[in-house]
């Protein structure tokens, strides 16, 4: 208490104490600015943003809704940028501490501006997806991601320039380093080029069911810069380097027009010729009159006696379903199988199964 009285008696003044060329009152003012920034952050988040959000949600356009949601993080960062702006004005730009805060202010402002641009690409990227009819979905994703990476690169370059680090020599050094790395990373560039060719040639797209001989079969989930992610039918993922697709023949099941049914049914040898003809005509009539099957010049159906096997008379059935959807295809096949069994039973035929007949020759012993 005595010490405090001495300070008061000596006309103690906060403005008389200086640190780095600023009085203690200045630092108290800076502390109040930081507190004000956090208060403004909460005020913007709870009041202004909610009010603006309620207005934006009333519009029928979905782009402005996505744009508003995407710009929320950088807008909440704005009060902190303003605080450092006012702090930098309090220092002498010629002093070291003034230069330091000036660089921090420029860095935060740069981050804020490029953050706004980066977040704006999220809703505006929906405009690029209109190009999916011309370009593939994966290629559109590549374009949008490339723009995002470009913005991040420019932001880093601008921040380095603020702190006096020249980006030109760094790029030149990376170029020399890239030549050395390229010699040891040929597979990486081979995968990258192969990935671009996959997208340009549209050999397959995201969501297609493909078969990669010797590797896997499944649904394409992602086409990356280096590899492609395929989800197998047992739900396990597998990643395949892109260069494999440039060298291997890829069977794209999703790119076909229709699915084919290729069956062979066996009848017993006790079947008569009239019964076999009647069965073939009945199945052919069903295929022609059903909407589940396609029959034209390019896609023909066949119901013919094929061959005489060891234990059956084989009838071959070849036709094309009117869908390429797997679930619908299975349902159509089931209906066809039930129809064939019904007709076989109605005509009085029986399905054959593998069997063997053993003949025992009787022999008599003669007295010599």
């Amino acid at each position: 208490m005595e010490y405090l009285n001495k300070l008061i008696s000596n006309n103690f003044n906060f403005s008389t104490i200086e640190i780095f060329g600023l009085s203690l009152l200045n630092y108290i003012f800076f502390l109040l600015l930081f507190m004000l920034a956090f208060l403004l952050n909460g005020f913007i988040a709870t009041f202004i943003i909610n009010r603006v959000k309620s207005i934006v949600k009333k519009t029928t356009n979905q782009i402005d809704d996505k744009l508003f949601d995407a710009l929320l993080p950088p807008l909440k960062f704005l009060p902190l940028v303003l605080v450092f702006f006012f702090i930098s004005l309090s220092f002498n730009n010629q002093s070291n501490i003034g230069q330091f805060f000036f660089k921090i202010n420029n860095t935060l402002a740069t981050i804020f501006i490029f953050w706004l641009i980066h977040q704006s690409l999220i809703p505006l990227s929906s405009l690029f997806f209109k190009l999916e009819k011309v370009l593939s979905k994966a290629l559109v994703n590549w374009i949008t991601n490339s723009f995002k990476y470009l913005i991040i690169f420019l932001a880093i370059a601008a921040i380095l320039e603020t702190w006096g680090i020249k980006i030109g020599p760094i790029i030149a050094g990376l170029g020399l380093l890239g030549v050395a790395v390229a010699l040891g990373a040929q597979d990486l560039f081979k995968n990258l080029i192969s990935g671009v060719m996959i997208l340009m040639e549209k050999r397959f797209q995201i969501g297609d069911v493909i078969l990669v001989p010797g590797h896997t079969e499944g649904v394409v989930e992602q086409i990356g810069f280096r590899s492609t992610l395929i989800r197998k039918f047992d739900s396990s993922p597998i990643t395949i380097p892109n260069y494999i697709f440039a060298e291997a023949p890829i069977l794209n099941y999703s790119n076909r027009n229709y699915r084919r049914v290729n069956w062979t049914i066996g009848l017993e040898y006790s079947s008569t010729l009239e019964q076999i003809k009647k069965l073939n005509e009945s199945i052919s009539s069903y295929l022609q009159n059903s909407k589940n099957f396609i029959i034209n010049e390019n896609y023909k159906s066949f119901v013919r006696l094929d061959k005489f096997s060891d234990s059956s008379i084989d009838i071959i059935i070849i036709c094309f379903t009117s869908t390429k959807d797997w679930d619908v295809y299975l349902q159509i096949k089931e209906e066809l199988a039930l129809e064939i069994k019904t007709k076989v039973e109605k005509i009085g035929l029986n399905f054959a199964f593998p069997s063997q007949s053993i003949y025992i020759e009787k022999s008599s012993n003669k007295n010599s």
Side-chain angles (χ1 to χ4, degrees):
M1 195 67 181
E2 277 183 38
Y3 182 71
L4 182 61
N5 292 330
K6 288 181 180 180
L7 289 177
I8 296 174
S9 63
N10 291 332
N11 296 324
F12 175 78
N13 192 351
F14 284 102
S15 61
T16 60
I17 301 177
E18 292 187 356
I19 302 175
F20 295 110
L22 292 178
S23 65
L24 190 58
L25 286 176
N26 292 124
Y27 289 100
I28 295 175
F29 175 69
F30 296 156
L31 179 61
L32 293 176
L33 282 179
F34 278 107
M35 295 176 62
L36 180 62
F38 286 108
L39 291 176
L40 284 176
N41 189 11
F43 178 75
I44 291 175
T46 58
F47 184 76
I48 297 179
I49 290 179
N50 289 334
R51 288 294 182 89
V52 176
K53 187 175 182 178
S54 61
I55 297 174
V56 172
K57 293 295 183 181
K58 294 179 181 179
T59 61
T60 58
N61 191 359
Q62 298 295 326
I63 296 180
D64 57 355
D65 297 342
K66 296 180 180 179
L67 181 62
F68 178 79
D69 294 334
L71 294 181
L72 282 182
L75 289 177
K76 293 180 180 179
F77 181 69
L78 180 59
L80 184 62
V81 178
L82 296 177
V83 167
F84 274 91
F85 173 74
F86 287 114
I87 291 177
S88 63
L89 294 178
S90 303
F91 289 95
N92 183 6
N93 291 336
Q94 302 301 323
S95 62
N96 292 332
I97 189 68
Q99 290 289 333
F100 178 74
F101 273 97
F102 178 77
K103 291 178 180 179
I104 292 180
N105 178 39
N106 287 346
T107 300
L108 294 177
T110 302
I111 293 174
F112 174 73
I113 293 173
F114 280 96
W115 196 358
L116 278 178
I117 299 174
H118 180 272
Q119 293 297 105
S120 300
L121 282 179
I122 297 176
L124 295 178
S125 61
S126 59
L127 300 176
F128 289 104
F129 288 105
K130 295 181 179 180
L131 299 174
E132 288 186 4
K133 297 180 180 179
V134 180
L135 305 175
S136 63
K137 182 178 180 180
L139 185 56
V140 173
N141 289 334
W142 271 34
I143 294 174
T144 54
N145 290 333
S146 298
F147 276 117
K148 293 178 182 179
Y149 293 142
L150 178 61
I151 292 174
I152 295 174
F153 173 77
L154 294 177
I156 295 174
I159 293 173
L160 292 177
E161 288 286 344
T162 300
W163 291 90
I165 302 175
K166 299 299 181 181
I167 192 65
I170 295 178
I171 295 177
L174 291 176
L176 296 176
L177 179 63
V179 174
V181 173
L183 297 177
Q186 296 181 10
D187 290 340
L188 176 62
F189 291 101
K190 184 166 62 173
N191 289 326
L192 179 61
I193 296 173
S194 299
V196 174
M197 295 305 298
I198 291 172
L199 298 175
M200 297 300 295
E201 295 177 355
K202 297 182 180 180
R203 301 182 66 183
F204 54 83
Q205 301 180 21
I206 296 176
D208 287 354
V209 179
I210 65 173
L211 169 64
V212 187
H215 292 86
T216 188
E217 181 180 16
V219 182
V220 179
E221 282 197 355
Q222 182 181 356
I223 303 176
F225 292 100
R226 191 191 69 84
S227 59
T228 296
L229 176 64
I230 297 177
R231 182 76 59 176
K232 299 171 65 175
F233 293 123
D234 61 356
S235 76
S236 58
I238 181 172
T239 302
I240 299 179
N242 286 333
Y243 79 89
I244 292 179
F245 299 103
E247 300 175 356
I250 307 301
L251 181 58
N252 190 339
Y253 292 112
S254 299
N255 201 27
R256 58 188 170 188
N257 297 326
Y258 310 106
R259 289 182 178 269
R260 189 180 68 166
V261 177
N262 188 354
W263 285 349
T264 299
I265 61 174
L267 301 176
E268 292 181 347
Y269 269 100
S270 60
S271 306
T272 64
L273 182 60
E274 294 297 327
Q275 288 176 321
I276 295 175
K277 288 183 177 180
K278 187 175 181 180
L279 177 63
N280 291 352
E281 292 174 357
S282 299
I283 298 175
S284 298
S285 177
Y286 173 78
L287 296 177
Q288 292 176 359
N289 297 326
S290 176
K291 296 180 180 180
N292 294 331
F293 301 94
I294 295 295
I295 300 177
N296 52 39
E297 293 295 328
N298 297 323
Y299 302 95
K300 297 181 179 181
S301 65
F302 300 95
V303 182
R304 294 285 186 269
L305 193 154
D306 185 35
K307 62 181 178 179
F308 297 98
S309 297
D310 294 336
S311 57
S312 64
I313 301 176
D314 293 340
I315 306 295
I316 188 172
I317 300 174
I318 299 176
C319 56
F320 292 89
T321 60
S322 58
T323 181
K324 59 181 180 180
D325 184 82
W326 176 251
D327 295 335
V328 180
Y329 170 72
L330 292 179
Q331 181 180 355
I332 293 175
K333 281 209 311 179
E334 180 184 28
E335 293 176 359
L336 177 60
L338 295 175
E339 183 68 21
I340 292 174
K341 190 172 188 309
T342 300
K343 293 183 181 302
V344 168
E345 294 176 351
K346 185 177 180 180
I347 296 174
L349 295 170
N350 293 309
F351 292 104
F353 54 88
S355 61
Q356 291 181 344
S357 299
I358 300 176
Y359 298 93
I360 302 176
E361 183 177 355
K362 294 181 179 181
S363 60
S364 57
N365 293 328
K366 296 181 180 180
N367 296 326
S368 54

